[in-house]
Structure formats: C-alpha cells, structure tokens
Amino acid sequence: MTVKLFSSRRRPMHLGPYPLERLARAQTPAHGHISGAAESLQLSDPENPLSLANSMQPYMDVVDNMRTGTSAKDEAPIPTDAEERARHMKAACYFLDAGMAAVCRIDGSMHLATPVENASLQQSRADTDQGKRAGPEQSVFTTQHTDMQVDKTTELAGHSHALIILVEYSRDPEPGEPGYEWLRNTQAQRAAVLAAEIAGVMTCYLRFLGFDARTHTATARELDFDRLLLASGLAESGGNGAGGISNPYLGTGFGTAAVSTTLTLAADKPLTSRGLRDQWRAHGPGWWFGFNGSRPGYAGRPYKNRSFHLGPFPMEKLKRVESTTTLIDADNIPRVPKRHNMFLRAAKGDLGEKTQYQVRRFVPKSPFSHATAPLMSARVPLQSGTPAGQTAPGTDDPGKNADAIKAALYYLGADMVGICELKNYAWYSHDSDGSPITPYHKYGIAILIDQGYETMEGASGDDWISGAQSMRGYLRAQLTGGIVSSHIRSLGYPARCHSSMDQDVLHIPIILEAGLGELSRIGELVLNPFVGPRFKSGVITTDMPLEPDKPVDFGLQDFCNQCNKCARECPCSAIPFGDKIMFNGYEMWKPDVEKCARYRITNPGGSACGRCMKTCPWNIEGVLKERPFLWAAMHLPFTRKWIAKLDDKIGNGRINPVKKWWWDLDTDDNGKVIPAKRSNARQLVFRQPIKPEEQKLACYPPDLAPAPDSDISGPDRNRGVEAYRKAIKPEIYRQGKATRH
C-alpha cells in the first residue's frame, strides 16, 4: 500500500490519479510513424500451461460478444454541456478503476483499414456450426460463451467521439516469487481484460442513456488505438525507441480499450513537446510527491517494492489468533436456505407488493448501476466448469498453492484475499428453487474489493451512486474470482466462483474465518482495518490443497463498544445501540435485516444504501496523517473512545461536494431514464442514541423463517421482536456452553 503524503479531497474525480493536467497541450496531434495496421492480442499462451492468460480469453469474449447492442429509444435528461458530459464520463471510468481516461473526436484517419476481429469467437461460431460441444477444461483453455452475437458491420454511423481507457501494467513478476509461473508474460493480457471490462460497462451505460455506443478492445475493434491515444492526449510520439508512442507517466506499460459513441463530448487536447519549464511541471516535485492529491511519482508501478501474494495492504502485520474474536458455536449453527435471504423474500412477495415491485428495479433504476448487470449476467456460465483430467505437476504444496492464488488475485485487482477451510454452515442448505445443496469443496477463498474512498467521500451513502458502488465491487470480484477459479480447474482441481449473481455459499463466515476482518457493530458485516466496511466480496471454493489463514484481532470489539456512530446515523434505525446477542450460533450486534432490506429496496432518494459504510470511523483515505490514529486504534485500547469522538469533530462522514461526479437519475415504470425526484444528501445527523431497551429490533431465527420452497410467507414481526428480546447474551451463552461440556 502506497501511503500518500497529500490528501486527494480537493481533487475532482474526473482528473484521475495521474496529474495529466500538468502536461503541455497542443491543438493538433503529431501522428508520427503510425502504420494504421493492427493485430488482435493473443490472450492464451499454449507454450506455458501454467499461464493465467489461458483463463482470460472467455472473459474477453463476453465483452466482445456485447460490443454492439440496442440503445434506449429516449435520450436521458443529462446536461447538454459537452464539458460536463466529458467530466462525468471520465470520472465514471476512474470509478471503475481506469488508470487514465480521455476523450477525442473521431475522424476518418482513426478507422482501421481492416478491423480487428476476435479469433476465439470466430472459432467458437465455427465449432457451433459444426455441432461441436465444449468438453472439460483443458490445460490451455476451453471457453464458454453467451448467446449474444458480434455485429460484423464496420461502420460507426454517427459515432463522433471516443472515450479512451488505459489500465497500467504492474511491475513484472520476478523469478522465484510466489505465482511467477502463473503471472509471467501476462501484463498485456491482464491490462487488456481489465480495460475491456471498464469499456463494456461504459458502453452499456451510454446505451441506457439513449446514445449508440460500441466497445473497442485489444481483440476486436474498428478504431486505431494509437491515433486515439495521440488525439486524446494520452500518448505522444516516440519515447520507446521504436518510433511508436508512449505515455508520459506509464511509458508503454499499459493496455487500452475505447468506446465510440454518438454522444457529443468535449475533446481533450493532444500533447505537445515539452520544454524545460513544461518538463519541470510535469515531472518535477509536484508530480514526485503527489501535490493536489494525485498519485505520487515515488510510488512507481503497483507492487514496486512488494511481493504480489502479500497484496496492497499490510495484512501480514495484523495479530493472528486461533479463533475469531466473536464466538462462533460451529456445532450449533443451522444451515440456512437461500429462501431466508431478505432480498429473495422481498422478490417472493414476503414484504408486500410495494417492496416486491421495487426489488425488481433495485439494480435497473439507476442507469449506471444497471450498466454492470449485462456483463455480470453474461459471465455467470463461466463461474463453474469441469476440471482438466490430470492435476498439474508441482501443485501439491498447500502453502505454495495458497501464495500463488493470492498473487494471481491481487495481480488481477483484488484488494484483500484470505483462505479458510469451509465449515458446513458456510454453505446454503437449499437453492432458491428449494433443491438441496450438498457441500462440495473443502476450501474457501474470500476476495474483497474496495468500493472506493473517492466516490464514498462525495456520497451520503444512500444516494444515487450507492447501488453502483456495490455493483462495481461485485463486478470486479466476479472477474478476478472467475479467472482464477477457471485457472485452478485448468490445473486439474475442481473450483467454482461464487458471485452476487450466483452463489452457493454465505460470504460473511468465509471472510471472517479467512482472517480479513472482525464482525462489527454494523452487524452482519465484517470490518477490515484498512478499508473499514467499504468493500464487496466474492468467493472461490475448491479442493486444491491450500494453507488456510488464521482469524485476526485488531481490537474492533472494544472499539465498536466505544462507538455507536453507525447506529446513530442509520436512516432506518436497523443497527443496535445495545450489546451483542447470540443469533444462530453467532455472537454479534444483530441488525434488523428486515428494516435494512426494506429501506435499501424502497429508498426513494437513492438506489440502495451504504450509510453505515460512509459514516464508519474506519472508512479512511489512507494518507500519512491517518497512520498514527490507525495504529493507536489497533494497539492502544485507551485511545479508542476519543478517536471515535475525534472522527465526528473533524467531520468524517460528511459529504465532500468536490467528489460528487454522478448524475441523479432514476428510471420510470416504462424503463425510461428520468431525473430523480429527490436525492438524499445527508450530512452527519448526530441523532440522540436510542436506549437499547426502547429500540425495537426484530430477528428471524430458522423457526420464524420460511421453508426452502415456500411461496409467500410474510415475516411475523411481533414474533421477530420477541425473539430479539429473548435472545441470549454471549456471556450467558458461554457459561451454559461451558457447563454442557
């Protein structure tokens, strides 16, 4: 983790992490020696069966399959100012983790004489025409595809502008470090797949706004990337010793994707040659130290001084313990069916007609949140598959395997990774259709994706970006988990990716047992010391031999005892002010999930809710000045109460208007994008705490929950409130457990 010297709180989102605003600009680009020819990037590496690139092709194919599509018939009510539109689109790309983003006008010189076509898709269609069927995953790759087809037309009728996206390379993996054989020579493939995912989402977003758009990737495109990069100011001629182009901050170490569209945008200016003064401005102390909140030059490439398997955050410095800091009575935890999930209950009609209607538009009502869904849905078939017939040599060492898997996941963009042995209670007992689920893998690999501090700073937590914050995390967790689970299968071991779109496991017990955090006052949520509760998760399950991680203890139970901020700020009072209880064998501050779900689903002033994440004192930026407080909160118990109070006094949890980049858009009953009638813009409320004995919370243990295959089964709230009131305190439960033994 690179510790920043200067805060980015005053840096608008559309500027991105690199100080592109420091570069000198011209009116017209110097094209240099550009051939205008292009080839499709080869993703697979047949000469190295251990290469992670061999599992990336299907995920690129999904994006290329969706390059074209139908746009909404009505244009959305978005600003007409081209500058504002361009700022918004670039900020959206940065929200999705682009390294750089820019806009240019499209002219005739940017069209490729011969479009680049995805050879994998061509072969897939040929195989389908011949009646061939995919077999088990092979050591190189066997792909699966959706039913969508690529539009072969090369005309980009009316496409006047292009949005260009760069994803930077990490440092090259070094021989002998964990995961080297998996990661070597995959920089271009990794960057191309990540850039394609961002472009795919942006293409869907533009279509939902009513504008035609097409994705252009390293494996399928009609536009010349070099000319786009020069015209948009993301590259300049020369700099790589081969007469090509390079980026002033990344050199040639980046992957590219683009979106062409009919939406008029303000174009960025191309770069010009830099004199001494310009060079000093671009690469002087301001860049080196990260003035104005940009990424500091001293940081270098990701993982510059750190092994990939350790990840970007110093998780290895946390205190490890034999058991979780909250009691988990494994022998007395009942397995629960998916039917108990409150969102599924809402979809079934358990929470009434209004909530049932609203849950169907929970993701689609915000067009940007909705833009992630087509890609995620299309990738569900890739989450599972048949392993190769033989296990790869050298994959029988649990420790080596665990480190290699972590290295691969971090390399692909995961923020936290942990491993545990799966307990039976971590598996759902029944699927959503009522069919039983038999646990089928031994290990669970938890993947956490940070939802992004920058955007959280500009939000209230329950406004119109909230749903997209969640979907963005789920999107990347599905990609990283999907590629790595496919890779594990190619090595001869069964593996499955469990995403928010399709899963057989409960994520919370896996995240907790895998040592990625502790249970917090927020309730059924694990809190991580470096990103707080600001993450979404994915899981891989497998039988590959792995070395599990141990749980962590960083003092959170005591901290949450001293702090009630999330309970105080919760808009629906679903988080308890009182003590922990025992629920289904877990010691926890039990939230009222019915209240929470109802508010998140029906929220009239936003697309979901993450108010608890926004206001939690552990939701921090990661600048140098925060490090002493983070260390004190972990190691000095006497500081925790005043740190929680200080968090309020300095205004953490308030909305930072500089970071507000999204448009407040809703969708009506006919699917038309409309202006939101209202938007939550909560500052800190400082509501008076509710006396625990006066706070009416409900919980629904298995005897109050619906059967796995039941139809409408509304919750009996009176009985739920009574169940909460009668819940056993952990200290009493422990005494009884000791007596029984």
Side-chain angles (χ1 to χ4, degrees):
M1 176 177 64
T2 299
V3 179
K4 298 188 296 182
L5 299 178
F6 298 95
S7 172
S8 61
R9 288 188 174 186
R10 295 185 179 182
R11 185 175 180 81
M13 190 73 173
H14 70 273
L15 293 181
Y18 286 92
L20 297 175
E21 71 276 11
R22 292 177 172 272
L23 300 173
R25 303 283 174 160
Q27 293 300 317
T28 58
H31 289 308
H33 302 288
I34 298 176
S35 67
E39 296 181 356
S40 177
L41 175 68
Q42 178 70 31
L43 264 68
S44 61
D45 185 357
E47 295 183 1
N48 179 16
L50 296 178
S51 175
L52 192 65
N54 295 327
S55 296
M56 296 182 190
Q57 184 71 57
Y59 289 85
M60 184 66 91
D61 291 351
V62 167
V63 177
D64 287 347
N65 251 334
M66 303 172 68
R67 292 203 309 122
T68 61
T70 304
S71 302
K73 64 178 181 179
D74 298 307
E75 292 185 2
I78 64 174
T80 57
D81 181 66
E83 289 282 356
E84 165 58 20
R85 289 176 170 184
R87 289 194 294 267
H88 173 83
M89 293 299 164
K90 286 187 282 188
C93 291
Y94 289 128
F95 173 67
L96 294 169
D97 283 340
M100 296 184 186
V103 173
C104 74
R105 290 182 177 275
I106 299 174
D107 62 37
S109 71
M110 297 173 181
H111 290 254
L112 290 171
T114 303
V116 173
E117 296 192 35
N118 185 314
S120 173
L121 290 180
Q122 290 178 311
Q123 184 61 50
S124 176
R125 286 193 291 271
D127 290 347
T128 300
D129 292 341
Q130 296 173 19
K132 295 182 180 179
R133 293 293 180 264
E137 297 224 4
Q138 303 299 315
S139 293
V140 178
F141 76 91
T142 298
T143 185
Q144 304 176 55
H145 302 289
T146 63
D147 293 331
M148 301 183 71
Q149 296 296 317
V150 173
D151 187 339
K152 294 184 178 180
T153 61
T154 59
E155 293 184 5
L156 300 175
H159 288 211
S160 58
H161 290 79
L163 180 63
I164 303 93
I165 297 150
L166 297 192
V167 170
E168 65 186 303
Y169 289 2
S170 294
R171 67 161 174 84
D172 287 326
E174 298 176 359
E177 76 170 305
Y180 171 74
E181 289 298 330
W182 296 14
L183 307 184
R184 66 181 177 91
N185 300 325
T186 63
Q187 291 269 32
Q189 291 84 353
R190 166 194 165 274
V193 169
L194 294 175
E197 180 183 73
I198 298 168
V201 173
M202 294 304 298
T203 296
C204 288
Y205 180 45
L206 284 159
R207 291 179 195 150
F208 289 148
L209 295 179
F211 299 91
D212 193 35
R214 179 177 296 197
T215 308
H216 303 265
T217 72
T219 52
R221 61 188 181 277
E222 288 80 32
L223 295 176
D224 186 324
F225 280 171
D226 284 356
R227 294 186 184 276
L228 294 179
L229 291 165
L230 287 169
S232 64
L234 290 182
E236 54 195 347
S237 297
N240 64 352
I245 64 170
S246 66
N247 179 275
Y249 296 112
L250 304 179
T252 58
F254 60 85
T256 310
V259 179
S260 60
T261 181
T262 57
L263 176 67
T264 300
L265 301 165
D268 291 289
K269 293 181 179 180
L271 302 179
T272 188
S273 58
R274 293 185 292 279
L276 289 178
R277 182 178 178 180
D278 295 326
Q279 188 68 18
W280 178 260
R281 175 174 167 77
H283 290 85
W287 162 71
W288 183 255
F289 292 109
F291 290 171
N292 195 31
S294 62
R295 180 174 173 173
Y298 65 75
R301 292 202 180 281
Y303 294 93
K304 172 185 174 184
N305 298 310
R306 190 167 172 80
S307 179
F308 285 109
H309 78 285
L310 293 177
F313 297 93
M315 292 292 292
E316 73 277 6
K317 294 184 179 181
L318 297 180
K319 177 183 176 183
R320 297 283 171 170
V321 291
E322 293 301 321
S323 58
T324 57
T325 55
T326 45
L327 175 63
I328 299 178
D329 188 0
D331 295 333
N332 291 291
I333 297 179
R335 290 178 61 201
V336 297
K338 294 183 182 180
R339 183 68 176 81
H340 286 203
N341 180 282
M342 202 57 73
F343 275 76
L344 185 56
R345 295 194 69 176
K348 288 278 190 179
D350 291 3
L351 305 186
E353 291 184 3
K354 175 185 176 182
T355 309
Q356 184 179 32
Y357 166 72
Q358 289 292 340
V359 80
R360 292 172 182 164
R361 62 188 298 269
F362 180 65
V363 173
K365 74 175 182 178
S366 164
F368 193 63
S369 173
H370 193 190
T372 64
L375 197 57
M376 292 182 69
S377 296
R379 295 195 305 210
V380 167
L382 302 178
Q383 291 185 191
S384 59
T386 305
Q390 294 182 335
T391 57
T395 57
D396 55 352
D397 183 328
K400 182 179 177 181
N401 291 344
D403 285 347
I405 284 173
K406 289 177 182 178
L409 288 167
Y410 285 131
Y411 180 69
L412 291 170
D415 291 298
M416 308 277 180
V417 180
I419 298 171
C420 70
E421 285 198 42
L422 289 169
K423 307 293 196 302
N424 271 357
Y425 58 78
W427 296 87
Y428 281 110
S429 63
H430 294 78
D431 212 330
S432 53
D433 62 0
S435 58
I437 295 174
T438 301
Y440 46 82
H441 290 149
K442 183 177 181 180
Y443 298 101
I445 305 162
I447 305 162
L448 305 189
I449 304 293
D450 184 355
Q451 292 190 61
Y453 178 84
E454 299 284 316
T455 292
M456 190 69 82
E457 263 286 276
S460 69
D462 61 342
D463 48 19
W464 290 96
I465 195 61
S466 180
Q469 286 179 290
S470 295
M471 296 300 288
R472 167 199 174 281
Y474 289 136
L475 178 81
R476 184 55 54 84
Q478 185 195 45
L479 177 69
T480 58
I483 290 174
V484 173
S485 63
S486 176
H487 185 66
I488 293 171
R489 293 193 297 270
S490 76
L491 300 178
Y493 297 95
R496 187 193 193 281
C497 172
H498 301 259
S499 75
S500 63
M501 302 294 286
D502 183 54
Q503 56 196 331
D504 288 343
V505 293
L506 294 98
H507 292 204
I508 291 173
I510 297 173
I511 297 169
L512 191 61
E513 294 277 5
L516 296 182
E518 299 183 51
L519 278 181
S520 65
R521 181 176 289 277
I522 294 171
E524 294 178 354
L525 184 145
V526 177
L527 189 149
N528 179 277
F530 301 112
V531 298
R534 196 186 63 229
F535 63 80
K536 291 302 179 187
S537 60
V539 169
I540 298 171
T541 60
T542 183
D543 285 335
M544 187 183 204
L546 297 175
E547 183 178 291
D549 295 296
K550 291 183 178 181
V552 295
D553 179 356
F554 56 94
L556 186 67
Q557 302 312 298
D558 182 50
F559 189 97
C560 285
N561 258 330
Q562 309 290 335
C563 179
N564 284 294
K565 192 169 182 178
C566 60
R568 185 192 77 198
E569 298 293 330
C570 177
C572 58
S573 298
I575 298 172
F577 283 91
D579 296 329
K580 291 180 278 191
I581 65 171
M582 294 301 299
F583 179 78
N584 284 4
Y586 290 93
E587 173 192 359
M588 66 169 69
W589 284 282
K590 181 71 177 82
D592 190 325
V593 294
E594 181 189 353
K595 278 186 177 181
C596 178
R598 284 184 185 276
Y599 179 75
R600 292 174 68 193
I601 293 168
T602 63
N603 177 7
S607 60
C609 183
R611 182 77 180 149
C612 50
M613 288 183 277
K614 165 68 177 182
T615 58
C616 177
W618 293 85
N619 172 40
I620 57 178
E621 183 180 2
V623 291
L624 183 63
K625 66 181 180 180
E626 295 175 338
R627 293 298 288 270
F629 297 98
L630 181 63
W631 185 91
M634 290 185 188
H635 299 97
L636 302 177
F638 68 89
T639 66
R640 291 167 185 158
K641 187 171 185 177
W642 66 261
I643 286 176
K645 290 182 177 180
L646 179 63
D647 195 69
D648 273 340
K649 287 186 178 180
I650 63 177
N652 285 347
R654 291 195 175 102
I655 295 172
N656 178 357
V658 172
K659 297 296 184 179
K660 170 76 160 60
W661 58 268
W662 56 93
W663 294 324
D664 295 333
L665 298 173
D666 196 353
T667 305
D668 67 15
D669 294 346
N670 298 315
K672 181 179 178 181
V673 176
I674 59 175
K677 294 179 180 178
R678 55 169 287 198
S679 179
N680 295 325
R682 307 175 195 274
Q683 300 293 353
L684 292 178
V685 177
F686 296 104
R687 182 178 57 197
Q688 286 297 314
I690 303 171
K691 293 181 179 179
E693 63 272 16
E694 296 178 0
Q695 188 178 19
K696 283 194 175 181
L697 300 173
C699 64
Y700 299 99
D703 61 312
L704 295 182
D709 57 351
S710 64
D711 292 325
I712 297 177
S713 178
D716 187 331
R717 184 153 185 89
N718 289 333
R719 292 183 66 190
V721 171
E722 184 67 10
Y724 201 110
R725 188 182 67 81
K726 291 183 176 180
I728 301 174
K729 299 294 183 183
E731 56 271 18
I732 297 175
Y733 191 91
R734 282 188 174 90
Q735 293 173 5
K737 192 170 185 288
T739 301
R740 289 193 297 273
H741 288 281

